[in-house]
Amino acid sequence: MIIALALLAQATDFMTKDEALKLFFKNGERAVERCVTLDDADRKKVEEKYGSTVPAAQDVIVGVKDGKVTGYAMIVSEITKTLPVTFIVGLSPDGRVLEVAVLRHDEHIGTDCAKRRFLRQFDGKQPGDRLKMGANYDVVSGATLSCNAIARGVRRVLAVVQHHFLDRPANAAAFTQDEPVRQQRYVMGTTCTVTAHGDTAAVDKAFDAIKAVDAAISNWRDDSDLAKLHRDRSIDAGPELLSFVRGSLALSERTDGAFDVTVAPLVELWGFKGGERRVPSREEIGAALKRVGWRQIRVNGSRITLPEGVALDPGAIGKGIAVDRAADALRKAGVKRALVDFGSSVAAIGEWTVAIRDPFAEGKVLLTVTIRDETVSTSGSYEKFFEDSGKRYTHILDPRTGRPVEGVASVSAIAASGAESDALATALFVSKKIPEQVEALLVTDRGERTATGRFEKSK
Ligand code: AMP
Ligand code: MG
């Protein structure tokens, strides 16, 4: 009977971490938990000023709502007799104790320190308050060591919060910045990573948008709108297919045909679309070239018509379009900062520093470039290639010669839209020239670089 009562008392006095956090952060704030570290100089300062020794690393939970700190909480353990008492101290944003709650007490005597009538004596205490037994708080008889341990811990929490957060507002501000949501999925034949300062629902919408692009313009599936166009030769196109075709034509015009969405027969001939990779004969190339040429595509309103033998390859622009749509979806969902990263095409909402890979070493960064509400795309000879008689043949083809481009390792280009930067990177790979006003980087297969704009300044 006595034992049962004691257990009952314990059950009501002890709290779980979640219960305590609900008590401290009761207005729907997010509890952001991170480890803060204090270097030796900081620890010395805290000790001199507040008389508390503090650990080099300490987990802190910061309540955040609407970009503001709503309070702090720290879980600390202090030795009572030989075993620790573990408790949580909740503080207001100005560093006063809101509440102390005991989470666990390992020693079997002294558990009465968990009683409210003891703990509430700390409410309202602030850094610098002397917490002296008898003068500032009374202990519960039979629990002196535990009560004093708690007082010691409270003093320590007050000191750390004052020193690390209240005296250094930047440290508090770092907690109020949203933790981004990051998701990686396999789409359009590669992995795409979306990092967004927003909720998961927004990221889901970004991936839905990418899937919609794929459903419209994929040349790998037979249920896409593009597959229907290839079958029927003339169709009333939906907005996604139409925008892909119109955008491609504009970029062909702009790049003098270096980017040409009708290279499909050549891509197939050289075996870059799943076929046998081989060097075709001159005659074969000549025959395929007759079916290539963007001017053969007819667009009339929403009707697209392809002459017999002409086929479209979205490979050089599709991922660019996809990152554009994903970014649009994120913006529509209210996201103010995000990165959609397909590897070869990246779209930034807000400012991001993006790494450009070394074309000669996978996993190595050649340089970084900062983009803001822009996109950057890279075409590389390393993406797809084959070797024959010691010669390397890459997947980017010159629509004029019908042969793989030689001498270029990679090209990166910055542009407002992903469709633009993706198509431009491919086009510059073919033309090997960076037009005026285009910010790009061209690396030859001997490692020589030509750079304009931000790429020139990048290291
Ligand atoms: P990217 O990696 O963006 O340069 O795209 C390369 C892919 O686009 C190739 O794998 C081909 O499917 C296709 N392609 C190759 N050469 C061209 C070209 N000159 N214009 C348009 N698409 C091309
Ligand atoms: Mg491209």
Side-chain angles (χ1 to χ4, degrees), residues 59-390:
D59 281 336
V60 178
I61 304 152
V62 177
V64 177
K65 194 177 181 188
D66 300 330
K68 287 201 181 71
V69 170
T70 61
Y72 302 90
M74 273 166 72
I75 296 174
V76 282
S77 286
E78 292 284 335
I79 298 296
T80 57
K81 190 158 176 264
T82 53
L83 298 174
V85 53
T86 303
F87 54 101
I88 185 165
V89 183
L91 307 184
S92 64
D94 61 348
R96 284 170 183 269
V97 176
L98 288 173
E99 192 127 12
V100 181
V102 175
L103 305 180
R104 75 183 263 168
H105 192 284
D106 290 3
E107 206 83 59
H108 73 279
I109 42 169
T111 51
D112 274 356
C113 69
K115 297 235 173 278
R116 275 301 302 150
R117 71 181 152 91
F118 166 68
L119 295 173
R120 69 165 169 252
Q121 301 177 91
F122 297 105
D123 294 359
K125 292 283 186 269
Q126 50 186 323
D129 279 356
R130 279 158 40 93
L131 294 179
K132 273 218 168 309
M133 182 176 118
N136 308 96
Y137 66 90
D138 295 320
V139 298
V140 182
S141 66
T144 309
L145 287 176
S146 299
C147 291
N148 285 341
I150 289 174
R152 209 160 55 232
V154 169
R155 205 187 299 125
R156 176 171 295 164
V157 167
L158 287 169
V160 169
V161 168
Q162 179 68 43
H163 178 83
H164 191 76
F165 293 108
L166 302 182
D167 294 348
R168 288 160 186 74
N171 287 334
F175 275 77
T176 63
Q177 276 149 22
D178 277 340
E179 280 284 332
V181 178
R182 171 170 296 195
Q183 268 190 47
Q184 199 167 60
R185 292 195 207 164
Y186 191 79
V187 274
M188 295 178 94
T190 45
T191 29
C192 178
T193 309
V194 175
T195 309
H197 292 265
D199 51 22
T200 329
V203 174
D204 285 342
K205 288 196 182 110
F207 281 110
D208 287 348
I210 293 172
K211 279 190 226 140
V213 171
D214 192 51
I217 70 167
S218 171
N219 60 339
W220 287 97
R221 43 200 281 186
D222 51 22
D223 62 345
S224 68
D225 298 354
L226 178 60
K228 185 171 165 46
L229 174 63
H230 284 154
R231 271 194 308 270
D232 299 355
R233 313 312 299 170
S234 182
I235 63 165
D236 236 341
E240 202 62 80
L241 181 63
L242 197 60
S243 140
F244 154 64
V245 170
R246 282 184 191 281
S248 294
L249 293 177
L251 280 149
S252 289
E253 175 98 61
R254 181 170 161 195
T255 62
D256 255 338
F259 163 85
D260 191 326
V261 75
T262 62
V263 291
L266 288 168
V267 175
E268 199 141 321
L269 181 63
W270 286 86
F272 286 115
K273 202 182 168 279
E276 184 205 348
R277 295 185 180 181
R278 63 175 184 102
V279 182
S281 71
R282 223 177 257 277
E283 291 70 35
E284 286 173 304
I285 295 174
L289 271 176
K290 289 208 180 80
R291 297 160 55 199
V292 174
W294 58 278
R295 290 183 200 277
Q296 302 182 70
I297 305 173
R298 293 272 161 265
V299 182
N300 194 346
S302 62
R303 177 148 291 267
I304 305 173
T305 308
L306 301 180
E308 212 42 55
V310 173
L312 311 185
D313 182 328
I317 195 172
K319 299 216 171 62
I321 294 174
V323 298
D324 286 342
R325 297 294 179 272
D328 287 345
L330 289 165
R331 279 193 200 94
K332 211 172 142 209
V335 172
K336 300 281 186 284
R337 201 175 130 73
L339 194 74
V340 182
D341 185 355
F342 248 119
S344 61
S345 279
V346 177
I349 300 178
E351 191 174 288
W352 292 80
T353 297
V354 179
I356 305 293
R357 77 155 262 192
D358 183 333
F360 306 108
E362 196 175 356
K364 226 173 121 194
V365 173
L366 185 68
L367 50 82
T368 60
V369 67
T370 300
I371 54 173
R372 189 190 180 90
D373 300 320
E374 289 163 303
T375 71
V376 61
S377 295
T378 300
S379 287
S381 64
Y382 49 81
E383 292 263 10
K384 274 189 214 165
F385 63 86
F386 68 90
E387 272 163 30
D388 188 281
S389 313

Side-chain angles (χ1 to χ4, degrees), residues 316 379 422-423 426:
S379 287
D422 196 354
T426 308

